[in-house]
Amino acid sequence: MKILKTKQEVKQQLFAHRKAGQSIGLVPTMGALHEGHLKLVKNAMSATDIVVVSIFVNPTQFNNPADLEKYPRTVAGDLDLLEKEEVDYVFLPEVEEMYPQPTALTVDFGNLERILEGAFRPGHFNGVGVVVSKLFHIVQPDKAFFGQKDLQQVAIIRRMVEDLSFGVEMVVIPTCREKDGLAMSSRNGRLSAIDRQRAVILYDSLVQARKELLAGKSWFEVQKEISHKFNEEPGVKLEYFELVRTNSLEMISEIDLKAPMEGQKSSICTAAFVGDVRLIDNLSI
Ligand code: PAF
């Protein structure tokens, strides 16, 4: 496993592989790797000849400076895990390498970024759009691997790939969960023991809501019940709990109880603070 720190090194190393006709897979991460990331890596290893994992805590996607500061950084452990997976390259740039100057360009995803995460984290998706564009230009992967836990991120990157003709195939991998259902996240490590127990409310609520919707209850009733459930639980604060079309993220208020066609599939998306840690999750219906 080789560690590459600069764009130039990535270009030099990947040139020979590309020339030899080998396919390149990219797993973009912000480090603090967990089993969910490793599942992306394993998928990349079996789907492409050469795998590059990037580790870069991208400052421009944090709308809250305290969140950036507290974001877990575990590079030595991350490298050990990737070495065990026999990853070919880790791209580990410094901030100055990725942002030699402040970016003048901004990416606006229209309605896609004004809802859900976008509404609560202004500027977040601009930061994601810019850094993922940079990574795609630097690595020029054939395939890029993302987790379904970040459903809105997947939707905006997919849209960016189409709108700007990146020619990268997006591979989306189902969310990895702890035994009690909590979605794996680098932020989980910041939960206190009691908050860790409370955090399962996100997954429990998603499962409950899906069950009730499928049983014919109205979304209005379901949403009211779930808000109440969060209000009753100490130490948690619900930000949103919404029913959306999975592909477009358009908010909807009912589901198609008959087998929905591909573009008509729906998901429930949620975000909540558990203590001072903000968690997100979603479930497809
Ligand atoms: O999902 C993440 O960890 C980040 O948003 C990403 C895609 C690596 C961009 O910084």
Side-chain angles (χ1 to χ4, degrees):
M1 185 175 88
K2 281 206 177 93
I3 297 171
L4 311 172
K5 304 281 280 183
T6 67
K7 298 178 277 236
Q8 190 57 24
E9 283 175 274
V10 176
K11 199 171 160 186
Q12 276 165 0
Q13 291 290 334
L14 296 185
F15 179 75
H17 297 297
R18 219 165 264 126
K19 210 164 160 218
Q22 290 175 302
S23 60
I24 294 169
L26 170 67
V27 183
T29 81
M30 297 205 298
L33 302 182
H34 50 69
E35 232 177 273
H37 293 113
L38 297 183
K39 203 160 134 195
L40 302 184
V41 170
K42 286 187 171 84
N43 271 275
M45 297 290 291
S46 60
T48 51
D49 299 318
I50 298 295
V51 172
V52 182
V53 176
S54 62
I55 299 180
F56 179 62
V57 182
N58 173 35
T60 67
Q61 70 187 77
F62 286 82
N63 52 310
N64 175 352
D67 192 26
L68 171 61
E69 200 182 308
K70 287 187 205 154
Y71 200 84
R73 289 157 171 92
T74 56
V75 176
D78 293 347
L79 294 177
D80 283 349
L81 289 171
L82 296 175
E83 180 100 62
K84 283 198 193 97
E85 294 298 330
E86 299 181 4
V87 160
D88 301 284
Y89 298 102
V90 178
F91 180 41
L92 188 64
E94 297 293 337
V95 173
E96 297 71 39
E97 179 66 16
M98 292 300 277
Y99 296 105
Q101 58 186 9
T103 312
L105 177 85
T106 54
V107 204
D108 187 325
F109 295 93
N111 281 342
L112 258 183
E113 69 159 64
R114 309 221 201 293
I115 51 171
L116 307 173
E117 286 303 280
F120 285 88
R121 303 183 67 190
H124 168 68
F125 287 120
N126 172 56
V128 171
V130 168
V131 83
V132 172
S133 301
K134 281 175 178 276
L135 291 169
F136 282 0
H137 286 307
I138 296 166
V139 176
Q140 295 178 34
D142 298 279
K143 298 182 191 214
F145 298 78
F146 295 90
Q148 198 185 331
K149 199 198 86 180
D150 299 301
L151 193 71
Q152 191 170 10
Q153 171 168 284
V154 166
I156 66 144
I157 296 174
R158 201 187 280 291
R159 189 60 202 257
M160 187 178 78
V161 164
E162 284 164 16
D163 284 1
L164 298 179
S165 308
F166 270 99
V168 174
E169 185 188 326
M170 299 267 298
V171 184
V172 182
I173 307 296
T175 305
C176 257
R177 298 187 178 279
E178 302 289 352
K179 278 205 184 74
D180 63 359
L182 176 68
M184 288 193 189
S185 161
S186 304
R187 290 187 164 87
N188 292 353
R190 287 186 43 223
L191 293 165
S192 67
I194 177 79
D195 286 340
R196 169 63 191 84
Q197 283 172 22
R198 289 172 172 157
V200 75
I201 189 171
L202 278 88
Y203 181 66
D204 282 353
S205 301
L206 290 169
V207 172
Q208 178 185 335
R210 176 168 68 181
K211 194 167 154 209
E212 291 181 350
L213 265 181
L214 290 172
K217 211 178 228 182
S218 78
W219 177 244
F220 177 73
E221 277 301 314
V222 173
Q223 219 180 14
K224 212 166 82 184
E225 242 176 60
I226 299 294
S227 298
H228 185 69
K229 184 178 165 119
F230 272 85
N231 283 339
E232 294 290 287
E233 177 77 29
V236 302
K237 188 174 159 286
L238 182 63
E239 288 212 319
Y240 61 79
F241 195 85
E242 299 288 353
L243 180 64
V244 299
R245 287 252 175 275
T246 307
N247 287 347
S248 64
L249 294 187
E250 176 201 346
M251 283 196 209
I252 50 176
S253 54
E254 56 188 345
I255 55 162
D256 187 354
L257 282 172
K258 295 176 270 82
M261 305 198 329
E262 188 48 41
Q264 302 298 309
K265 287 196 174 141
S266 43
S267 296
I268 311 170
C269 299
T270 188
F273 274 98
V274 182
D276 68 344
V277 182
R278 191 172 180 281
L279 300 176
I280 60 171
D281 200 354
N282 66 81
L283 203 62
S284 57
I285 298 192

